[in-house]
Amino acid sequence: MRPEENKYNELLYQIGSALQTAKQNAIKAINIELIIANWKVGRYIVDFEQHGKQRAEYGKELLVTLSADLKVKFGKGFSRSSLQLMRLFYIHYPKFQPLVDKDLIRQTVSGEFSKSQTPSGIFLSWSHYAELLTISDELARSFYETQAINENWSFREMKRQIDSALFQRLALSKDKDGVMALAEKGQVIDKSDDLIKDPYIFEFLNIPKGSVIKESGLEKKLIDNLQKFLLELGKGFSFVARQFKITVDNEHMFVDIVFYHRILRCFVLIDLKTKKVKHQDIGQMNFYLNYFKHEENVEGDNDPIGIIIAADKNEFLVKYATGGLSNKIFVSKYQLYLPDQKLLEEKVKEIINE
């Protein structure tokens, strides 16, 4: 390539980069202005209600009347449900008051304040907040907000995690203090146990209830939907290989899916079972882990982790088959449909009230 072409390509890159940055900054600025305006609208409504000491019945009528008048003056976007969301936004997010009053949100966007100097949450979109406000449980709402920020979830990704009851699924494996910490800090990955969900939810595969699927078919669908599978697995997973070949004594074996976890710095081997897990499956995973520990690990890698994801399991069988093993092997179930959120919420409440 001639020097003139190199310089021209560099010019194209610089212009494209500048335009892309400008577009992102514009979107961020519009989102911040929308958040400020909606929070203020909520404050004005609440102040009016409290000042007049209005009855709840009149409060509903107020939103109906206000919605009609605002639509006439400003067009769409002011339905009664939208105004109610703005009202709830002000009530549930008082942490925005100093930012709004002192105009710190705009200063943050301009770079004068770092993310660490501002309350968590200002970098989510209004669509995120509108969805978060539909969650009545404060602990769950706090978790999804924090997790959305920590993992940079898009609106759709966050909604999927809410629909799949991620908070409740993670909370069921913890005690009361653990649930409270989960709500405040989100999911913190410090050890192998923190990676595990039980059950895993694969509703994104769109497999009809009652369908018979082979392990190879389940594996293919998960790989075909790798981005969504990674979202379900959680933060830190990087895809390595499918059907990873292991050869020992001229015998070939294959690990269904191999990932590397960037935070724990270790391989994560996943074996899929479309039936109830057997003790032989756990023994096979133990063999895979020993192989990886000696043949695939390099300096700096921690011991690999094995996860068997099965259609069903017997807790006692898993306990006895994994007891005494030095390798970390976990057995979880999977579901092809969304869980019963109300049932999970009740179980979490039992943990909190113990």
Side-chain angles (χ1 to χ4, degrees), residues 288-298 303-304 326-327:
Y288 292 160
L289 294 175
N290 284 327
Y291 177 90
F292 262 76
K293 190 187 304 184
H294 294 284
E295 302 295 337
E296 298 298 332
N297 271 19
V298 297
D303 287 349
S326 59
N327 290 319

Side-chain angles (χ1 to χ4, degrees), residues 265-283:
R265 297 183 63 81
C266 67
F267 287 105
V268 180
L269 315 185
I270 292 182
D271 209 10
L272 301 169
K273 301 297 176 185
T274 54
K275 297 180 180 179
K276 183 184 289 187
V277 70
K278 300 178 181 179
H279 66 85
Q280 295 96 326
D281 301 324
I282 295 172

Side-chain angles (χ1 to χ4, degrees), residues 57 74 103 124 197 274 325:
E57 294 81 5
F74 302 104
D103 203 23
L124 297 180
K197 298 183 180 71
T274 54
L325 296 179

Side-chain angles (χ1 to χ4, degrees), residues 103 130 133 154 183 245 249 251 258 263 273 334 342:
D103 203 23
L133 290 167
S154 68
K245 185 177 180 180
D249 196 23
E251 183 178 351
V258 178
I263 299 173
K273 301 297 176 185
Y334 69 83
K342 290 185 178 180

Side-chain angles (χ1 to χ4, degrees), residues 81-94:
S81 60
S82 295
L83 292 176
Q84 174 65 356
L85 281 176
M86 296 175 197
R87 179 179 175 277
L88 291 174
F89 187 40
Y90 170 74
I91 292 172
H92 290 300
Y93 288 91

